[in-house]
Amino acid sequence: MTAATMDVIVSLCKRRGFIFQSSEIYGGTGSCWDYGPLGVELRNNIKRVWWRDFVHQRDDMVGLDASILMHPMVWKASGHLDHFTDPMVDCRECKRRFRADQVDEIDWTHYCPATKGNKFTIKAGEPCKHCGVRRTLCPECGKGELTAPRQFNLMFKTFMGPVEEDASVTYLRPETAQGIFVNFDNVLQSTRRKLPFGIAQIGKAFRNEITPGNFIFRSREFEQMEIEFFVNPHDRVDGRPADEAWHDRWIAECQAWFARYGLAADHVKLHEHARDELAHYSKRTVDLLYKFPMGWSELMGIANRTDFDLKQHAKFSGKSLTWFDEERKEHLVPFVIEPSAGVDRALLAFLLDAYQEEEVRGEKRVVLRFHPELAPIKIAVLPLLKKRPEIVATCHDLRHRLTRRWLTLYDDTAAIGRLYRRQDEVGTPYCVTVDVKTVGDPEKGETGDGKVTIRERDTMQQIRVPIADLETVFSRLLDAGTAWSEVAAAYPRAEG
Ligand code: GAP
């Protein structure tokens, strides 16, 4: 079994239609990505299970879908206009821009004086092995001096309405969170919620990152799944201030969620932000880091934003954003715990963790061992012989029936062994094969047995199941989460 490199995943994603570079026919935009036929299914499945687990299945959560374009004062109040900046340096020669704090994390180009000026690309942070020099010039062109750092605001600016003037400036939201804060009172009034309760939102966010990269890990347009969980700071939970106890609960919930959908325990770890790392609004932030191919990096963050945002929006809007505590007979501003995850980073982590290469009968097998709920296609219906009309007709009939409940695909473009491998490579948990025994042979006067073969992706075991049982079998496997071994035990094995 091999751990996936980023190059392997990027190539698989393009080849099998998970992810394409945006505007590729025009040379592409390195910082934006398009999700293809399988990618959109995987992405929707991640969002669907997140919403189901954190909104529908909890009594203390509701959802929201706020607009991307908001009143510009939102960003003044939130601090994004003044603080949402990265230190940027420019190369005086090639004019490329870099984040000052990341320049030394980039592989660098070097014209080595010890080898008559030969050009080398040297690993980030390492010296040249010929002359011993460390990077001082632009890492990209290796020729230009870098300017002193200056602050660069990451928000995309645009204009609302037909006139491009200062009064109509607005921004693409850099986080979905603010849409929740400005709707706090609307949700409170319309749902009569009591603290603690949370508001969840999934939606696009935009950041003019100076150095996007690592495939979909850091892009300029991405999607977030965010929760703002409002708690009464005067309450005590588990003998501790409510915000601190709820913070730890949410850290545990998020960790458990990623484990539940397939991330290996030793690929995820917590990172406690040091004081000087904390965002301007945060009392405490803990990140979930994932072992990406480029090293441990942030998968999501869980922050205690205190009452910062609600107080800021109350101050700038002049509207009260409080909750009335019946017990203490006082209006208070709730504290907020914010679990904030990126859809794209979650998708990348699930892809990397699912990817395995193994040897089967002397041949390499690539398999994406996706959790069945995340798998883009749940069932593939395959004909053993596509020249037999009865087989093909039975396949189409089965596909139509099964796809009403589980996304099911029909494929007859190769021999069966290759069709199985193709489904393994995109993570389809089950294949159903229709063969001559299923439909019989009218010319020979043989009737079919009405049974099909189900093949399971991970074990490659095959069982023979009556067509009439298929819906019950898949309902157990895909809806109830019954183990394959338990379901398979009730049916005879089929030859592989
Ligand atoms: N509301 C809090 C917030 O936005 P963040 O740490 O800046 O916090 C939260 O972003 C999550 O959004 C990150 O953990 C990451 O998963 C995702 N994210 C942030 N910037 C991203 C980018 N440029 N590309 C892809 N995902 C990004």
Side-chain angles (χ1 to χ4, degrees):
M1 288 182 192
T2 326
T5 63
M6 199 69 101
D7 284 349
V8 164
I9 291 295
V10 172
S11 142
L12 171 74
C13 282
K14 167 142 199 216
R15 189 160 35 83
R16 298 309 313 272
F18 282 93
I19 302 169
F20 309 122
Q21 198 174 45
S22 163
S23 320
E24 194 181 350
I25 60 167
Y26 287 102
T29 51
S31 55
C32 299
W33 300 92
D34 297 343
Y35 287 80
L38 293 180
V40 69
E41 298 297 338
L42 175 59
R43 195 181 167 84
N44 284 343
N45 289 344
I46 293 170
K47 293 191 280 183
R48 185 180 49 77
V49 295
W50 186 91
W51 194 263
R52 182 195 61 196
D53 297 346
F54 288 128
V55 183
H56 290 177
Q57 293 196 342
R58 294 180 63 115
D59 297 327
D60 54 3
M61 292 285 301
V62 291
L64 181 80
D65 188 4
S67 64
I68 287 171
L69 297 172
M70 301 175 72
H71 195 288
M73 282 305 280
V74 168
W75 309 111
K76 185 72 191 157
S78 68
H80 282 84
L81 268 176
D82 298 324
H83 300 291
F84 198 57
T85 55
D86 273 340
M88 180 179 75
V89 292
D90 293 275
C91 171
R92 294 190 199 279
E93 188 80 23
C94 70
K95 309 294 177 211
R96 285 209 177 75
R97 292 178 160 176
F98 307 93
R99 255 176 71 173
D101 55 339
Q102 288 180 347
V103 174
D104 287 327
E105 293 166 20
I106 307 169
D107 292 353
W108 56 288
T109 300
H110 177 51
Y111 293 90
C112 177
T115 62
K116 296 186 182 153
N118 280 346
K119 183 180 171 187
F120 296 101
T121 302
I122 301 175
K123 281 243 159 293
E126 290 181 8
C128 169
K129 65 181 177 206
H130 304 288
C131 67
V133 158
R134 287 187 180 273
R135 189 204 64 76
T136 53
L137 300 171
C138 168
E140 198 69 45
C141 71
K143 291 177 181 162
E145 301 254 350
L146 298 179
T147 60
R150 60 200 162 90
Q151 292 302 324
F152 170 77
N153 196 296
L154 299 185
M155 282 197 295
F156 277 98
K157 224 184 222 183
T158 186
F159 297 94
M160 186 85 94
V163 188
E164 291 194 11
E165 58 182 19
D166 285 354
S168 58
V169 165
T170 188
Y171 303 89
L172 301 187
R173 68 180 177 199
E175 61 172 13
T176 63
Q178 298 304 323
I180 298 180
F181 294 127
V182 300
N183 277 295
F184 170 73
D185 201 50
N186 283 334
V187 174
L188 201 59
Q189 297 308 326
S190 55
T191 63
R192 321 300 311 170
R193 288 270 154 179
K194 284 197 166 67
L195 296 184
F197 79 96
I199 305 176
Q201 174 164 223
I202 299 179
K204 290 269 187 174
F206 304 83
R207 295 182 190 178
N208 202 359
E209 300 280 3
I210 300 167
T211 43
N214 285 316
F215 194 30
I216 54 172
F217 178 83
R218 180 169 284 109
S219 49
R220 294 196 169 109
E221 175 179 339
F222 55 98
E223 202 161 11
Q224 291 185 314
M225 308 185 278
E226 294 203 296
I227 292 168
E228 306 303 329
F229 195 78
F230 301 95
V231 302
N232 184 339
H234 305 314
D235 281 350
R236 293 188 77 77
V237 174
D238 306 334
R240 302 165 60 203
D243 60 312
E244 294 177 12
W246 273 106
H247 196 179
D248 281 334
R249 285 185 182 183
W250 274 109
I251 294 165
E253 292 268 354
C254 293
Q255 222 176 346
W257 190 82
F258 279 105
R260 178 171 164 195
Y261 292 104
L263 298 196
D266 59 343
H267 290 172
V268 179
K269 69 177 181 186
L270 298 181
H271 166 70
E272 182 87 38
H273 280 220
R275 285 236 143 265
D276 59 356
E277 260 183 287
L278 287 177
H280 60 277
Y281 49 73
S282 173
K283 170 175 161 184
R284 179 186 173 218
T285 296
V286 173
D287 287 343
L288 250 62
L289 305 186
Y290 177 75
K291 204 174 182 183
F292 287 99
M294 67 281 188
W296 288 100
S297 312
E298 180 184 332
L299 175 61
M300 71 169 297
I302 304 123
N304 182 342
R305 290 181 84 125
T306 68
D307 52 7
F308 175 86
D309 300 271
L310 290 180
K311 275 191 170 157
Q312 284 293 102
H313 287 303
K315 187 169 133 196
F316 279 77
S317 68
K319 301 280 187 314
S320 161
L321 295 176
T322 56
W323 178 77
F324 187 65
D325 183 343
E326 294 282 355
E327 217 176 284
R328 297 180 181 87
K329 301 286 178 232
E330 63 174 3
H331 288 276
L332 62 89
V333 183
F335 267 39
V336 176
I337 305 302
E338 179 195 63
S340 170
V343 176
D344 313 79
R345 277 190 203 177
L347 187 144
L348 181 57
F350 284 129
L351 264 171
L352 286 159
D353 240 68
Y355 184 92
Q356 280 174 357
E357 286 176 12
E358 52 192 38
E359 206 180 292
V360 177
R361 293 188 206 111
E363 275 185 32
K364 182 171 112 175
R365 174 171 100 118
V366 172
V367 56
L368 286 179
R369 292 184 195 270
F370 281 134
H371 186 289
E373 296 227 50
L374 300 189
I377 299 160
K378 311 296 184 209
I379 306 164
V381 178
L382 313 170
L384 197 71
L385 288 176
K386 71 169 175 182
K387 288 193 181 123
R388 291 287 298 271
E390 318 85 72
I391 292 181
V392 172
T394 306
C395 283
H396 283 303
D397 179 51
L398 286 179
R399 193 200 85 81
H400 280 293
R401 268 171 49 195
L402 296 172
T403 210
R404 285 187 212 129
R405 294 179 63 183
W406 309 282
L407 184 58
T408 304
L409 171 129
Y410 170 80
D411 190 7
D412 66 5
T413 56
I416 193 70
R418 182 169 266 240
L419 293 180
Y420 283 151
R421 291 289 183 273
R422 280 190 196 157
Q423 294 307 318
D424 291 342
E425 204 187 27
V426 299
T428 306
Y430 303 105
C431 291
V432 169
T433 308
V434 178
D435 55 27
V436 180
K437 275 208 286 186
T438 316
V439 295
D441 190 342
E443 280 180 20
K444 292 185 188 158
E446 291 169 7
T447 51
D449 64 4
K451 293 179 181 169
V452 290
T453 299
I454 301 181
R455 174 187 181 270
E456 198 262 348
R457 176 194 69 200
D458 296 347
T459 58
M460 292 181 284
Q461 285 173 0
Q462 301 185 10
I463 54 173
R464 197 77 184 159
V465 177
I467 287 177
D469 285 9
L470 279 183
E471 263 149 314
T472 314
V473 164
F474 285 124
S475 168
R476 293 183 68 202
L477 290 168
L478 291 167
D479 298 341
T482 312
W484 165 256
S485 54
E486 198 181 312
V487 174
Y491 295 96
R493 286 283 171 87
E495 287 299 307

Short mmCIF file of all heavy atoms in Angstrom, two decimals, residues 50-51 54-55 61-65 180 198-202 226-228:
data_model
loop_
_atom_site.label_atom_id
_atom_site.label_comp_id
_atom_site.label_asym_id
_atom_site.label_seq_id
_atom_site.Cartn_x
_atom_site.Cartn_y
_atom_site.Cartn_z
N TRP A 50 -22.29 16.57 6.52
CA TRP A 50 -21.96 17.59 7.53
C TRP A 50 -23.24 18.28 8.00
O TRP A 50 -23.48 18.43 9.19
CB TRP A 50 -20.98 18.61 6.92
CG TRP A 50 -20.43 19.63 7.89
CD1 TRP A 50 -19.31 19.51 8.63
CD2 TRP A 50 -21.00 20.90 8.21
NE1 TRP A 50 -19.13 20.65 9.40
CE2 TRP A 50 -20.15 21.51 9.16
CE3 TRP A 50 -22.14 21.60 7.79
CZ2 TRP A 50 -20.40 22.78 9.69
CZ3 TRP A 50 -22.39 22.86 8.33
CH2 TRP A 50 -21.53 23.43 9.26
N TRP A 51 -24.08 18.66 7.06
CA TRP A 51 -25.33 19.36 7.40
C TRP A 51 -26.27 18.44 8.18
O TRP A 51 -26.87 18.85 9.17
CB TRP A 51 -26.00 19.83 6.10
CG TRP A 51 -27.10 20.83 6.30
CD1 TRP A 51 -28.44 20.58 6.36
CD2 TRP A 51 -26.95 22.25 6.47
NE1 TRP A 51 -29.14 21.75 6.55
CE2 TRP A 51 -28.25 22.80 6.62
CE3 TRP A 51 -25.86 23.11 6.50
CZ2 TRP A 51 -28.48 24.16 6.80
CZ3 TRP A 51 -26.09 24.47 6.69
CH2 TRP A 51 -27.38 24.98 6.84
N PHE A 54 -24.60 17.84 11.77
CA PHE A 54 -24.45 19.00 12.67
C PHE A 54 -25.68 19.90 12.73
O PHE A 54 -25.79 20.72 13.64
CB PHE A 54 -23.22 19.83 12.28
CG PHE A 54 -21.93 19.14 12.61
CD1 PHE A 54 -20.94 18.98 11.65
CD2 PHE A 54 -21.68 18.65 13.89
CE1 PHE A 54 -19.75 18.34 11.96
CE2 PHE A 54 -20.50 18.01 14.21
CZ PHE A 54 -19.52 17.84 13.25
N VAL A 55 -26.59 19.78 11.76
CA VAL A 55 -27.78 20.63 11.81
C VAL A 55 -29.02 19.75 12.08
O VAL A 55 -29.66 19.88 13.13
CB VAL A 55 -27.96 21.46 10.52
CG1 VAL A 55 -29.17 22.38 10.65
CG2 VAL A 55 -26.70 22.27 10.23
N MET A 61 -29.31 23.30 16.86
CA MET A 61 -28.72 23.94 15.67
C MET A 61 -29.80 24.29 14.66
O MET A 61 -30.77 23.56 14.50
CB MET A 61 -27.74 22.98 14.99
CG MET A 61 -26.50 22.68 15.77
SD MET A 61 -25.31 24.02 15.75
CE MET A 61 -25.02 24.17 14.02
N VAL A 62 -29.59 25.41 13.96
CA VAL A 62 -30.42 25.75 12.80
C VAL A 62 -29.49 26.18 11.67
O VAL A 62 -28.31 26.44 11.91
CB VAL A 62 -31.43 26.90 13.11
CG1 VAL A 62 -32.50 26.45 14.07
CG2 VAL A 62 -30.71 28.15 13.62
N GLY A 63 -30.05 26.27 10.46
CA GLY A 63 -29.21 26.62 9.30
C GLY A 63 -29.50 28.01 8.77
O GLY A 63 -30.48 28.66 9.15
N LEU A 64 -28.62 28.46 7.89
CA LEU A 64 -28.76 29.79 7.28
C LEU A 64 -28.04 29.76 5.92
O LEU A 64 -27.07 29.02 5.75
CB LEU A 64 -28.08 30.83 8.19
CG LEU A 64 -28.14 32.29 7.73
CD1 LEU A 64 -29.51 32.88 8.09
CD2 LEU A 64 -27.05 33.13 8.39
N ASP A 65 -28.54 30.58 5.00
CA ASP A 65 -27.81 30.75 3.74
C ASP A 65 -27.82 32.24 3.40
O ASP A 65 -28.75 32.75 2.79
CB ASP A 65 -28.48 29.92 2.63
CG ASP A 65 -27.65 29.90 1.35
OD1 ASP A 65 -26.53 30.46 1.36
OD2 ASP A 65 -28.11 29.32 0.36
N ILE A 180 -23.71 35.08 9.47
CA ILE A 180 -24.41 34.52 10.63
C ILE A 180 -24.54 35.59 11.72
O ILE A 180 -25.63 35.80 12.27
CB ILE A 180 -23.67 33.28 11.17
CG1 ILE A 180 -23.63 32.18 10.09
CG2 ILE A 180 -24.32 32.78 12.45
CD1 ILE A 180 -22.92 30.90 10.51
N GLY A 198 -26.79 26.98 18.01
CA GLY A 198 -25.85 27.35 16.96
C GLY A 198 -26.54 27.60 15.64
O GLY A 198 -27.65 27.13 15.39
N ILE A 199 -25.87 28.39 14.79
CA ILE A 199 -26.34 28.63 13.42
C ILE A 199 -25.23 28.14 12.48
O ILE A 199 -24.06 28.50 12.66
CB ILE A 199 -26.62 30.13 13.17
CG1 ILE A 199 -27.60 30.68 14.21
CG2 ILE A 199 -27.15 30.34 11.76
CD1 ILE A 199 -27.87 32.19 14.09
N ALA A 200 -25.64 27.31 11.52
CA ALA A 200 -24.65 26.74 10.59
C ALA A 200 -24.87 27.29 9.20
O ALA A 200 -26.00 27.63 8.81
CB ALA A 200 -24.80 25.22 10.56
N GLN A 201 -23.80 27.36 8.46
CA GLN A 201 -23.90 27.83 7.08
C GLN A 201 -22.81 27.18 6.23
O GLN A 201 -21.68 27.01 6.69
CB GLN A 201 -23.73 29.35 7.05
CG GLN A 201 -23.67 29.91 5.65
CD GLN A 201 -23.89 31.42 5.56
OE1 GLN A 201 -24.60 31.88 4.69
NE2 GLN A 201 -23.29 32.17 6.45
N ILE A 202 -23.19 26.81 5.01
CA ILE A 202 -22.19 26.33 4.05
C ILE A 202 -22.23 27.28 2.87
O ILE A 202 -23.31 27.57 2.34
CB ILE A 202 -22.53 24.90 3.55
CG1 ILE A 202 -22.55 23.91 4.73
CG2 ILE A 202 -21.53 24.45 2.50
CD1 ILE A 202 -22.91 22.48 4.34
N GLU A 226 -19.39 26.41 8.24
CA GLU A 226 -19.12 27.10 9.51
C GLU A 226 -20.31 27.01 10.46
O GLU A 226 -21.48 27.01 10.04
CB GLU A 226 -18.79 28.57 9.27
CG GLU A 226 -17.50 28.76 8.49
CD GLU A 226 -16.86 30.13 8.71
OE1 GLU A 226 -17.49 31.13 8.32
OE2 GLU A 226 -15.76 30.20 9.26
N ILE A 227 -19.96 26.97 11.74
CA ILE A 227 -20.97 27.01 12.79
C ILE A 227 -20.59 28.14 13.73
O ILE A 227 -19.42 28.29 14.09
CB ILE A 227 -20.97 25.68 13.59
CG1 ILE A 227 -21.47 24.52 12.72
CG2 ILE A 227 -21.84 25.81 14.86
CD1 ILE A 227 -21.23 23.15 13.33
N GLU A 228 -21.58 28.96 14.09
CA GLU A 228 -21.38 29.91 15.19
C GLU A 228 -22.29 29.40 16.31
O GLU A 228 -23.52 29.39 16.16
CB GLU A 228 -21.75 31.34 14.78
CG GLU A 228 -21.03 31.86 13.53
CD GLU A 228 -19.52 31.82 13.60
OE1 GLU A 228 -18.97 31.97 14.72
OE2 GLU A 228 -18.88 31.61 12.55
#
